[in-house]
Amino acid sequence: KLAEISTAYKMAGLGSTPAAIIQHATLPYQKQGTCEIKDIQEMALREGLAYPAIIIIGDVVKAREIVAAQHYPLHNKALKITA
């Protein structure tokens, strides 16, 4: 299906649309890759991505970069809450 999706976007003149594939989302062995939609099939092969996976297409893919650049001081910290 990736070839069909890619072709549809290219034929509509939207081949440079951001795209991502996330395999095994939220699991410790999660894998992902990002690219332009025109290159999605090649990226999936290169990154070893297969089913089950989520395909994300559009500018929302860029949100990952924005969130990754944020500083979260309590990320990966253990907290002890007492009364």
Side-chain angles (χ1 to χ4, degrees), residues 19 34 47:
T34 60
E47 300 296 332

Side-chain angles (χ1 to χ4, degrees), residues 1 6 9 12 20 29-30 43-44 49 56-57 62 65 68 70 73 75 79 81:
K1 285 289 186 183
S6 177
Y9 275 83
Y29 44 92
Q30 173 180 314
M43 181 273 294
L49 300 170
I56 304 165
I57 301 170
K62 296 176 185 176
E65 297 168 7
Q70 300 297 317
H75 181 71
L79 299 176
I81 300 174

Side-chain angles (χ1 to χ4, degrees), residues 57-71:
I57 301 170
D59 287 335
V60 69
V61 172
K62 296 176 185 176
R64 179 180 183 268
E65 297 168 7
I66 295 167
V67 171
Q70 300 297 317
H71 176 70

Side-chain angles (χ1 to χ4, degrees), residues 15-53:
S16 62
T17 302
I21 299 177
I22 304 171
Q23 180 181 7
H24 302 297
T26 76
L27 298 176
Y29 44 92
Q30 173 180 314
K31 297 192 301 186
Q32 67 268 331
T34 60
C35 62
E36 292 183 344
I37 193 66
K38 66 181 174 148
D39 303 319
I40 197 163
Q41 186 173 20
E42 293 83 7
M43 181 273 294
L45 290 171
R46 182 179 64 249
E47 300 296 332
L49 300 170
Y51 182 85

